[in-house]
Amino acid sequence: MEWDRREDGDLQLAIVRGFEIAVADSEALAVRIEFAEVQEQLSGAMAPSSKQLVMTPAMAEALGAMLLEQARMAPPEEQT
């Protein structure tokens, strides 16, 4: 898999603003992810972008396991 990159070589990323999960049937799971790609979306002046993805339960389980593993390895957030 190849990551999208900006012209300067850094990763092209968007900030997740929210998500919802729906079970389509016993063979599929759908997730809607809302994200901000530009400053206006971060400030709320513009609606967030979104994608709706569908995957098998096995793929959802693998994704969940990978997210949990990486989240546990991340440094703790600072309390303000």
Side-chain angles (χ1 to χ4, degrees):
M1 209 176 288
E2 190 171 321
W3 288 79
D4 293 337
R5 295 192 174 269
R6 300 185 319 207
E7 289 182 16
D8 64 6
D10 286 344
L11 291 176
Q12 183 175 336
L13 302 172
I15 297 173
V16 174
R17 303 291 292 175
F19 58 89
E20 293 179 352
I21 297 173
V23 177
D25 57 38
S26 62
E27 296 180 20
L29 180 129
V31 61
R32 175 185 168 86
I33 301 174
E34 291 185 344
F35 53 95
E37 298 177 282
V38 295
Q39 185 63 39
E40 291 81 7
Q41 290 173 312
L42 281 173
S43 69
M46 196 168 128
S49 299
S50 66
K51 288 285 183 185
Q52 294 179 187
L53 310 169
V54 66
M55 63 191 86
T56 64
M59 186 171 280
E61 188 173 335
L63 175 60
M66 289 175 69
L67 287 168
L68 282 172
E69 179 183 341
Q70 295 301 311
R72 289 180 180 137
M73 291 190 320
E77 290 185 31
E78 291 185 24
Q79 301 282 328
T80 57

